[in-house]
């Protein structure tokens, strides 16, 4: 089943009285368990596309189905609920709360679940911290961790509500190549556990971890490559 | 656990995390609440004092003083009341269970051995102690026989007793009053100072017959009459009854003012409340202004905080926080800070009031009322001035907030 289905998605902004089309007639289907990389230069509209896939924004026209539900006409509250239940975000700059501990940061999405036991949430968070190799850092503050470690905390946070869709926006943008590799391995492992991963990047090596790649430029999806092509090209480079 | 408690927990964390903001908001709220606390305590103190005074005066009592109100200052009024008035009142007023005549002489020199002191001598019947609910704590009261026989006996106030006798037991001793030897038969309970500063315990009570005959050389006129009535609820009616009775007896023509003055419990309360009213108004203005200032300090610091924490808001929205979750968190932060400020303000107000009581002998009374009002006002400020910044935080668009 397709977890994401985008049909003729258009997004335009009013800019100085002029309408600027950032996304033009996007059609995209993402199957459950997929690992998709969306590649494109800056200004191509890839972040806008991710915002729409992540229910942070709604399209100007077209239909978007998330887990079988049409979302482009949902209220702000309903979109919040969808993000909370279905989507885990990973950002380039990690975006952890500086004044909260590692554990509290991982627990952040559980705060906005209507009910549910605190003890279970904490147990789950600690399990995830162990999974990303940071179980001994639970009481640390983010600024006491390296960049790679902070991104691992963000990954644990993305998984804590058991979201089926992980959206990673340039997750390795601020990391060195070795750490980038570790983070991508971790995302690949999550994909191996059944999570659908959508990766936004302009870096071919990062994209090479994906099973499938789509290109975006000037708001249009271009050709689709399969993972083998990219790996071949990566090898050439 | 329910979402609202988890969000309240986030508010607590933020209050702890942004310490400088917390301290500034807390202090400004505390100052306002302190002023309000003092006002409430002063108002309650004034009423309590008034109530105490009325208890002593007697809620069922009237005091009739010689001389018209307009005529002259209290000490120089003509004496218009007579012992005959007292007798007539005793026969006419069925509702009064006690009617005591009084006469008063100021600045009388009294001495015990080498100790001299100037005091006020009051002549009254054996009912004086009961008329003023003023118990005799040592020795015995003046008896009707003492009054009938013009005996040289007296009840002494604690202040005068201390001045004349020091540590010596006054009961049974003889003192000289205007060179007349007087035996002290009893000591009155201590009553302290009036709000206008006169010491109630600086007095000597003697039989009115003795005072009038031996000290004033007066057969007829007296200073005042104290009356107490059976039915306290009808005190206003009694007042009118006494007034018209005395006007008739004194043949005051219609349209002329009374040649005496009646003091009722109602008037005592009015007087005391007026006395403390000006300070309460002053503090009230100060309190309200400082609370409004506190509110603006809070609103400004919170607006800055929302700007500074835009990214945090974006992060929270991206993981599923609804607008109202953000609103509740920031409003919660404001209310937690103002609540803490309110409590600090209550403590500050309490200390200020202690100081005022000590320095100015200002009656203060603390009760749950002052505390509750302070707390409610703190919440009101937190909600009223925290709402705009919180709403601004809640209305940030997730995609814009997350870009910072």
């Amino acid at each position: 089943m397709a977890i994401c289905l985008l049909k003729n998605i258009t997004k335009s902004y009013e800019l100085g009285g002029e309408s600027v089309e950032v996304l033009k007639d996007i059609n995209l289907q993402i199957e459950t368990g997929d690992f998709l990389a969306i590649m494109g230069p800056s200004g191509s509209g890839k972040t806008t596309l991710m915002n729409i896939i992540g229910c942070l924004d709604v399209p100007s026209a077209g239909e978007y189905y998330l887990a079988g539900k049409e979302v482009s006409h949902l209220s702000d509250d309903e979109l919040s609920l969808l993000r909370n239940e279905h989507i885990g975000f990973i950002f380039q700059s990690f975006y952890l709360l500086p004044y909260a501990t590692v554990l509290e940061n991982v627990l952040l999405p559980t705060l906005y679940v209507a009910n549910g036991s605190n003890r279970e949430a904490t147990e789950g968070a600690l399990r995830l911290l162990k999974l990303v190799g940071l179980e001994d850092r639970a009481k640390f503050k983010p600024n006491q961790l390296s960049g790679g470690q902070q991104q691992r905390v963000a990954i644990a946070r993305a998984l804590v509500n058991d979201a089926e869709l992980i959206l990673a926006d340039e997750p390795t943008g601020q990391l060195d190549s070795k750490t980038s590799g570790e983070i991508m391995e971790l995302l690949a492992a999550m994909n191996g556990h059944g999570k659908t991963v959508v990766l936004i990047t302009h870096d071919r090596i990062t994209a090479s971890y994906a099973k499938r790649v789509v290109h975006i430029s000037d708001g249009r999806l271009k050709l689709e490559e399969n993972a083998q092509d990219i790996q071949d090209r990566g090898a050439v480079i | 656990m329910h979402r609202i408690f988890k969000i309240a927990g986030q508010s607590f964390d933020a209050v702890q995390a942004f310490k400088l903001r917390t301290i500034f908001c807390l202090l400004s709220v505390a100052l306002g609440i302190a002023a309000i606390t003092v006002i409430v305590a002063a108002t309650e103190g004034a009423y309590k004092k008034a109530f105490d005074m009325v208890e002593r005066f007697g809620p069922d009592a009237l005091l009739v003083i010689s001389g018209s109100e307009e005529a002259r200052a209290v000490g120089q009024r003509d004496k218009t009341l007579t012992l005959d008035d007292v007798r007539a009142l005793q026969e006419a007023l069925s509702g009064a269970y006690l009617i005591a005549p009084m006469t008063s002489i100021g600045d009388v020199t009294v001495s015990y051995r080498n100790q001299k002191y100037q005091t006020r001598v009051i002549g009254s019947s054996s009912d004086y102690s009961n008329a003023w609910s003023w118990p005799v704590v040592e020795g015995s009261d003046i008896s009707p026989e003492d009054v009938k026989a013009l005996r040289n006996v007296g009840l002494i106030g604690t202040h005068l007793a201390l001045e004349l006798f020091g540590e010596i037991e006054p009961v049974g001793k003889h003192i000289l009053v205007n060179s007349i030897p007087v035996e002290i038969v009893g000591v009155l309970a201590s009553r302290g100072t009036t709000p206008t500063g006169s010491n109630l315990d600086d007095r000597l009570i003697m039989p009115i017959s003795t005072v009038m005959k031996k000290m004033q050389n007066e057969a007829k006129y007296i200073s005042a009459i104290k009356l107490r009535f059976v039915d306290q609820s009808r005190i206003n009616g009694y007042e009118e009854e006494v007034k018209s009775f005395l006007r008739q007896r004194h043949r005051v023509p219609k349209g002329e003012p009374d040649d005496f003055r009646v003091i009722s419990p109602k008037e005592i309360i009015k007087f005391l409340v007026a006395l403390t009213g000006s300070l309460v108004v002053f503090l009230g203005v100060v309190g309200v202004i400082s609370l409004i200032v506190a509110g603006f300090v809070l609103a400004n610091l919170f607006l800055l905080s929302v700007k500074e924490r835009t990214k945090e808001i974006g992060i929270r929205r991206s993981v599923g926080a609804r607008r109202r979750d953000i609103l509740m968190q920031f409003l919660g932060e404001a209310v937690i800070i103002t609540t803490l400020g309110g409590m600090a303000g209550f403590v500050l107000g309490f200390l200020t009031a202690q100081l005022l009581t000590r320095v100015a002998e200002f009656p203060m009374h603390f009760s749950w009322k002052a505390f509750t009002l302070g707390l409610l006002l703190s919440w009101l400020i937190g909600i009223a001035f925290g709402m705009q910044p919180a709403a601004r935080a809640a209305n940030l668009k997730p995609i814009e907030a997350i870009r910072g």
Side-chain angles (χ1 to χ4, degrees), chain B residues 6 21 30 55 84 94 100 107 118 122 133 142 185 264 286 401:
Chain B
K6 295 189 274 195
R21 182 192 68 170
E55 265 316 297
D84 288 337
S94 54
D107 297 331
Q118 294 229 312
I122 292 164
S133 311
I142 292 169
V185 292
S264 62
V286 171

Side-chain angles (χ1 to χ4, degrees), chain B residues 39-295:
Chain B
I39 296 159
V40 176
T43 315
E44 282 201 87
Y47 275 96
K48 196 173 178 294
K49 181 96 182 174
F51 187 75
D52 286 350
M53 296 283 287
V54 167
E55 265 316 297
R56 288 168 177 189
F57 179 82
D60 58 355
L62 292 176
L63 177 67
V64 186
I65 301 171
S66 275
S68 71
E69 192 178 352
E70 288 83 0
R72 265 163 242 159
V74 176
Q76 294 158 333
R77 283 178 194 161
D78 289 330
K79 286 190 176 172
T80 53
L81 298 170
T82 64
L83 286 173
D84 288 337
D85 287 338
V86 177
R87 262 172 239 123
L89 281 168
Q90 275 164 344
E91 278 165 30
L93 290 177
S94 54
Y97 68 86
L98 187 153
I99 300 181
M102 291 190 296
T103 191
S104 157
I105 322 173
D107 297 331
V108 178
T109 306
V110 294
S111 61
Y112 175 71
R113 293 187 181 155
N114 296 327
Q115 289 295 317
K116 278 193 176 153
Y117 199 72
Q118 294 229 312
T119 191
R120 172 168 293 275
V121 173
I122 292 164
S124 188
S125 68
S126 55
D127 287 327
Y128 183 83
S129 163
N130 291 331
W132 292 95
S133 311
W134 198 340
V136 174
V137 287
E138 280 172 51
S140 56
D141 204 346
I142 292 169
S143 68
E145 289 71 34
D146 291 334
V147 180
K148 219 174 275 172
L150 278 68
R151 284 188 191 137
N152 297 351
V153 293
L155 296 173
I156 195 169
T158 53
H159 178 77
L160 179 60
L162 192 71
E163 289 291 341
L164 288 183
F165 296 100
E167 297 295 301
I168 303 165
E169 166 67 50
V171 176
K173 305 289 188 301
H174 285 80
I175 60 173
L176 285 176
V177 180
N178 274 357
S179 58
I180 304 162
V182 173
E183 185 193 351
I184 302 298
V185 292
V187 180
L188 287 168
S190 175
R191 284 233 153 148
T193 337
T194 64
T196 47
S198 62
N199 192 333
L200 291 167
D201 297 325
D202 180 11
R203 64 178 60 201
L204 182 70
I205 317 300
M206 289 169 59
I208 192 165
S209 51
T210 313
V211 172
M212 286 173 79
K213 179 89 191 217
K214 297 181 184 174
M215 293 174 70
Q216 289 177 315
N217 195 20
E218 170 70 72
K220 193 175 169 193
Y221 289 104
I222 58 170
S223 314
I225 307 168
K226 180 84 186 255
L227 304 95
R228 299 195 75 158
F229 297 89
V230 181
D231 188 356
Q232 164 182 336
S233 64
R234 288 178 51 204
I235 193 78
N236 290 342
Y238 291 136
E239 187 176 346
E240 288 314 307
E241 203 179 334
V242 168
K243 271 184 182 171
S244 63
F245 183 84
L246 285 175
R247 279 180 75 92
Q248 234 170 356
R249 263 190 69 82
H250 294 181
R251 302 205 168 78
V252 179
K254 229 181 174 174
E256 288 284 307
D258 297 340
D259 65 345
F260 54 88
R261 172 142 196 250
V262 181
I263 294 180
S264 62
K266 206 166 52 187
E267 266 180 280
I268 293 179
I269 291 178
K270 246 191 254 168
F271 169 71
L272 275 158
V273 169
L275 203 66
T276 47
S278 53
L279 184 72
V280 167
V281 168
F282 170 72
L283 280 172
V285 170
V286 171
V288 168
I289 288 174
S290 47
L291 276 186
I292 290 172
V293 170

Side-chain angles (χ1 to χ4, degrees), chain B residues 303-317:
Chain B
L303 277 176
L304 275 179
S305 186
V306 167
K307 209 167 249 178
E308 191 185 281
R309 290 161 69 189
T310 303
K311 207 160 263 169
E312 169 185 338
I313 295 158
I315 296 167
R316 289 182 186 275
R317 292 301 312 269

